[in-house]
Amino acid sequence: MSDITFGCLRFVHACLARKGGSGDMLAKKDMLNDLCAGLCDALSISHNRRSLAEFQISKASLSSNDFLEYLRDHVIPRANSKLLDSSIQSFCWDRFVEEDFESFRSHLCVLGPSKECSVVLWKLFCVLSTTGMVIDSMQTAWLLHRLVSNVDDISRLHSRNLLPINTIQGQCDFWSLLDKVIQPFTDSSEESHLTALNNILSEVSEKHILKQGVMMKKGHLVKNWKERRFILYPGQLVYYTLDSKPILQGSCSITSRSVVQRVSGYSQYDHRFLVTCGETGKEFEISAPSSKARDEWIAHIQFSICHPGLTTLDHFLQKYECVNHVRMEQSCRSRLENSLLINSLRFHAHFGIFQDCFKRGHH
C-alpha cells in the first residue's frame, strides 16, 4: 500500500477512536469489524469477523498501528493489487463523509469547493498528519506556501494578502484546513487549483518528488532532440520515455558539485538549460516548454544542489523554525529594551523626587 493509503486508513481509525470516546486513540474491535466489512466489500473479498476478534485477543481495542498490522496480514494479501490503493482511498473518503456528514454538507455544499479538490486535499492531509486528526501550524504553513508556488497568477494572490502564512498558529483539523486552502483560491481556475494540489500530493507521497514534467532532451551521441518525462527527487534527476509503460532512459545525480545554468544562443528550442552531473561531470542539455517552466526547473534543481537530500517540506520547516527563532529573539530584545526603558524612567522619576526632597530639606 502507498503512504497515501496508510494515511487514509489511519485517519478513519482516528475518527472511530474519537467516536468511541477513546482519549488514547484506541478504536473498539466491534467498530473496526464493521469498518473491515465495508472495506472488504469495496475490495470484493470476503470478510471473517472472527479473525479480527481473535487478533491480539487480549485487547478489546486496537491502536492504528495494530489495525494496520491486521490489514497487512489478513486483508491486503487477498485483494487485487492493481485496484488496492484506489479502492481503499475511495472507501475511506466515503466513510469519513458518512461519519461527519454535517461538516461535509456545510463545507462542501455551502462553500462550494469541488469534490475533486477536496478529496486530493484530504489525501494530502492524511499523509501529513501523524495522529490522523490534525496537522501542526508548520505543516499548514508549508502547505499554503507550496500551494501559492504552484497556482497560477501568484502575484495577484500575494498582492491581496489572502494567505497570512506567518500568522498561522496551533493545530488544524481537515475542515479548518479546507477553509484556509479553498476559500483564498476561489478566484483561481478549478484546473489550476486541482493541478497544484496533485503536484503537492506527489511531492510528499511519491518518494518526495520535487518537480516533474515533460521536456525535450538533447542526445549525447546522436545530437537529436527527444521528448522525455523528467522527475526530480532530492539528490537525483531521472527521465523516462512517454510510453504507456515508461522506460527509464537515464539519471543525473544532484550533489553540491552539480551545476545548473541557462543555455543561450539561437536554436529551435528557446528555453534551454544545462545540468552538470555532480559525480561524473556529464552534461544534460534540456529544453523546457516555456521560459517560466525553465526558470522553475532551474530553481528546483538549484534547491536540490544547495540542500542535498532535503525535501521542500524539510527545508521549509527549517526556514520556518529559523524565522520563528529570529522573531523570538527580536521579541525578547524588545521586551528587554522596554524593561530597561521603564527602569530608567523609574530611576529618573525617583531621582527627581529625591532632588525635590533634598531642595526642601536644604531650604
Side-chain angles (χ1 to χ4, degrees):
M1 290 190 294
S2 68
D3 291 343
I4 301 174
T5 304
F6 276 118
C8 294
L9 288 168
R10 187 170 57 243
F11 182 94
V12 174
H13 174 277
C15 289
L16 292 180
R18 183 180 62 178
K19 184 178 180 180
S22 173
D24 49 6
M25 298 306 292
L26 297 176
K28 296 178 181 178
K29 279 187 175 179
D30 57 345
M31 300 176 74
L32 292 175
N33 239 326
D34 293 339
L35 178 68
C36 281
L39 181 59
C40 289
D41 186 56
L43 295 172
S44 301
I45 58 176
S46 60
H47 170 59
N48 183 358
R49 297 185 67 89
R50 183 179 299 176
S51 65
L52 179 58
E54 295 175 350
F55 177 76
Q56 298 190 9
I57 195 167
S58 61
K59 296 180 178 179
S61 301
L62 298 178
S63 67
S64 61
N65 288 336
D66 291 338
F67 180 56
L68 290 173
E69 180 184 343
Y70 169 78
L71 293 178
R72 281 195 296 263
D73 294 342
H74 296 84
V75 176
I76 304 306
R78 298 186 290 120
N80 184 339
S81 58
K82 293 182 179 179
L83 303 175
L84 181 67
D85 288 308
S86 59
S87 298
I88 293 178
Q89 291 168 24
S90 178
F91 167 79
C92 288
W93 167 258
D94 291 339
R95 186 60 183 259
F96 165 51
V97 169
E98 179 184 331
E99 292 289 339
D100 202 359
F101 182 74
E102 288 303 318
S103 296
F104 169 80
R105 184 174 62 180
S106 63
H107 284 77
L108 271 70
C109 299
V110 176
L111 296 178
S114 73
K115 179 183 176 181
E116 290 78 8
C117 285
S118 302
V119 170
V120 177
L121 178 63
W122 175 74
K123 291 178 182 179
L124 189 52
F125 178 91
C126 291
V127 175
L128 290 175
S129 175
T130 55
T131 65
M133 296 306 297
V134 293
I135 60 176
D136 60 37
S137 58
M138 288 189 292
Q139 290 171 317
T140 305
W142 173 82
L143 179 56
L144 296 178
H145 167 77
R146 295 299 300 140
L147 193 56
V148 169
S149 301
N150 277 274
V151 171
D152 293 337
D153 204 359
I154 297 172
S155 59
R156 172 171 55 83
L157 292 171
H158 275 302
S159 64
R160 293 178 59 182
N161 296 318
L162 293 173
L163 296 177
I165 292 175
N166 296 328
T167 63
I168 295 172
Q169 296 178 350
Q171 295 179 325
C172 185
D173 64 11
F174 173 70
W175 298 119
S176 299
L177 180 66
L178 186 67
D179 292 341
K180 287 182 173 66
V181 171
I182 297 295
Q183 287 186 339
F185 290 90
T186 51
D187 291 340
S188 63
S189 70
E190 178 72 20
E191 182 180 358
S192 175
H193 203 165
L194 185 59
T195 300
L197 288 170
N198 276 313
N199 287 342
I200 302 168
L201 183 61
S202 296
E203 183 178 325
V204 299
S205 62
E206 299 176 13
K207 298 180 181 179
H208 297 292
I209 293 175
L210 298 180
K211 189 169 178 61
Q212 59 181 323
V214 177
M215 296 186 290
M216 302 296 294
K217 177 189 170 295
K218 189 176 181 179
H220 288 104
L221 298 177
V222 180
K223 304 299 181 181
N224 59 344
W225 290 82
K226 291 186 178 179
E227 205 171 25
R228 295 286 183 254
R229 173 168 292 280
F230 286 82
I231 301 178
L232 176 64
Y233 300 107
Q236 189 179 40
L237 177 66
V238 298
Y239 53 98
Y240 297 82
T241 61
L242 297 183
D243 305 328
S244 56
K245 295 183 178 180
I247 301 172
L248 179 65
Q249 294 295 292
S251 64
C252 170
S253 62
I254 306 296
T255 69
S256 58
R257 300 174 62 183
S258 299
V259 178
V260 59
Q261 57 190 335
R262 291 187 184 186
V263 177
S264 58
Y266 176 78
S267 170
Q268 69 179 105
Y269 301 102
D270 297 328
H271 313 297
R272 293 173 293 152
F273 61 98
L274 195 68
V275 182
T276 304
C277 181
E279 293 181 350
T280 64
K282 188 176 181 179
E283 295 182 338
F284 296 81
E285 189 171 348
I286 304 167
S287 178
S290 66
S291 59
K292 178 184 176 183
R294 175 198 59 201
D295 294 343
E296 288 177 353
W297 273 99
I298 290 176
H300 279 78
I301 295 172
Q302 191 63 53
F303 165 85
S304 191
I305 292 172
C306 296
H307 310 282
L310 279 183
T311 67
T312 55
L313 177 55
D314 296 329
H315 176 62
F316 181 81
L317 294 184
Q318 287 184 358
K319 183 177 178 181
Y320 191 89
E321 289 172 351
C322 179
V323 169
N324 281 346
H325 180 68
V326 170
R327 284 183 183 148
M328 189 177 298
E329 283 188 340
Q330 291 173 342
S331 177
C332 291
R333 189 181 301 115
S334 177
R335 286 199 297 269
L336 178 60
E337 290 172 351
N338 289 338
S339 177
L340 291 174
L341 177 60
I342 291 171
N343 288 335
S344 176
L345 291 173
R346 284 174 179 168
F347 171 77
H348 286 295
H350 288 303
F351 185 71
I353 294 171
F354 174 77
Q355 282 183 321
D356 290 341
C357 292
F358 178 79
K359 289 177 181 178
R360 289 171 187 168
H362 182 73
H363 289 302

